[in-house]
Amino acid sequence: MEEQRLNQLYNLILNPGTRQWEREQLIQAKNQWDEQSQATILAQLEYTLRPLALRGTLTPDVHDFYFTQLRGEQKKTIDSKPLKESSSVYEEAIFAGGCFWCMVEPFDTYPGVINIRSGYTGGTTTRPTYDQVLSGEGGHVEAVKIIFDPTQLSYRKLVELYFDVTDPTDAFGQFQDRGPHYQPVIYVANLTQEGIAKEEKAKLANSSRYTNPIVTKILPSGPFYEAEAMHQDFYKKEPKRYRQIKRTRNQLQRFNLWRQKRKR
């Protein structure tokens, strides 16, 4: 059975109909096959694919693999609304803006957002842990990767929202989150994203919203390492704790804006 699953992983990875994001998750599972217990690897893969499976937006072969091999259920048909042709290509946006616990919920309810994962990026360490990132080892920052459908939600809108929920004038952290691993960074995947990010940054700099310089970095995206399971969808798992953290963050954001307006 395990050999059959591994063969199916290989076939799905090589299948031209598999979307790039799905292929990345399958490759990650395959690469870890000899390093972890197979049950743990398959459980993590099931957890990662679950949001798309529940929305009926996995490609057909991955959909079948999810339910028959990861869930152990009978083969299911995708009877939700049919996928549009343009939905075969999703895009990614990677943002760092302080603790990733607070960077999921602001984006998660927008139509067109397919999935959001918390993780680490921008550093040199391979597969860093939360403790390593917190200590500064490897130079990673906490970030979120947003998988979105560009036919429903534009990258520009995501960048606008990002600037709304962060402090682009603070290079040494975000609100109550201090340290280089909390610095604000937009990681761009291509020249189009880079151009949009720079335009929105310039627009913000030329507005009257802030008096201090806009210091948010715009850097090329690199490897993104998903954080441990406990950090995924934190606002859903720990709603009371999240509300307290969000309240403090919002209060500091309002105070920072008020303080800068006083300088005018």
Side-chain angles (χ1 to χ4, degrees):
M1 176 63 75
E2 301 306 332
E3 183 178 353
Q4 178 186 3
R5 286 189 177 125
L6 184 58
N7 287 334
Q8 286 186 292
L9 277 178
Y10 276 106
N11 291 335
L12 289 172
I13 290 169
L14 297 173
N15 188 336
T18 301
R19 295 192 189 99
Q20 181 59 32
W21 181 82
E22 295 171 335
R23 184 175 288 108
E24 289 174 359
Q25 311 313 309
L26 297 169
I27 290 173
Q28 182 173 321
K30 177 187 71 68
N31 290 341
Q32 294 175 344
W33 200 261
D34 294 330
E35 300 177 17
Q36 301 179 21
S37 70
Q38 295 165 3
T40 300
I41 296 168
L42 293 173
Q44 178 61 43
L45 183 60
E46 190 276 330
Y47 179 82
T48 302
L49 296 178
R50 188 185 308 162
L52 274 69
L54 295 178
R55 297 184 192 190
T57 54
L58 290 173
T59 50
D61 288 342
V62 177
H63 175 273
D64 291 345
F65 176 80
Y66 174 84
F67 282 104
T68 60
Q69 299 301 321
L70 301 182
R71 299 280 295 181
E73 301 178 11
Q74 297 256 331
K75 182 177 179 180
K76 295 191 175 187
T77 57
I78 303 177
D79 54 7
S80 56
K81 62 181 180 180
L83 295 176
K84 296 179 291 185
E85 283 296 318
S86 57
S87 68
S88 62
V89 180
Y90 293 143
E91 294 183 11
E92 296 178 356
I94 299 179
F95 300 130
C99 179
F100 46 31
W101 290 351
C102 291
M103 287 292 290
V104 175
E105 185 261 347
F107 300 95
D108 203 24
T109 57
Y110 270 71
V113 171
I114 306 303
N115 198 8
I116 305 179
R117 304 300 289 172
S118 298
Y120 317 112
T121 192
T124 57
T125 306
T126 302
R127 295 178 188 166
T129 66
Y130 181 71
D131 290 339
Q132 286 174 326
V133 174
L134 222 59
S135 70
E137 181 181 339
H140 286 286
V141 298
E142 292 190 15
V144 291
K145 177 192 284 188
I146 303 170
I147 312 299
F148 67 100
D149 185 343
T151 66
Q152 301 182 54
L153 179 64
S154 70
Y155 181 74
R156 187 178 300 276
K157 180 62 180 177
L158 288 171
V159 174
E160 291 174 352
L161 181 57
Y162 167 78
F163 279 127
D164 282 342
V165 299
T166 59
D167 180 359
T169 67
D170 187 351
F172 304 104
Q174 288 291 284
F175 311 110
Q176 69 268 45
D177 305 320
R178 312 314 302 163
H181 54 291
Y182 290 134
Q183 63 182 298
V185 186
I186 299 175
Y187 291 96
V188 295
N190 49 51
L191 291 175
T192 300
Q193 287 192 358
E194 181 181 16
I196 292 172
K198 287 182 175 179
E199 288 172 6
E200 291 303 315
K201 180 178 178 179
K203 186 189 301 182
L204 193 61
N206 293 326
S207 72
S208 59
R209 184 172 182 182
Y210 295 99
T211 55
N212 292 342
I214 306 301
V215 297
T216 300
K217 295 179 181 177
I218 299 173
L219 300 174
S221 61
F224 181 92
Y225 302 98
E226 288 195 7
E228 297 82 347
M230 63 176 291
H231 299 298
Q232 306 298 336
D233 292 320
F234 179 83
Y235 82 98
K236 296 178 181 177
K237 296 175 180 175
E238 299 282 350
K240 184 176 180 180
R241 188 178 175 190
Y242 170 72
R243 284 195 298 269
Q244 293 173 338
I245 297 172
K246 181 181 179 181
R247 186 180 304 114
T248 301
R249 185 179 173 108
N250 289 343
Q251 288 172 345
L252 288 171
Q253 184 178 35
R254 288 193 295 268
F255 175 73
N256 289 344
L257 285 169
W258 172 81
R259 184 174 56 183
Q260 291 195 48
K261 286 179 180 178
R262 288 193 65 191
K263 295 180 179 179
R264 297 193 182 107

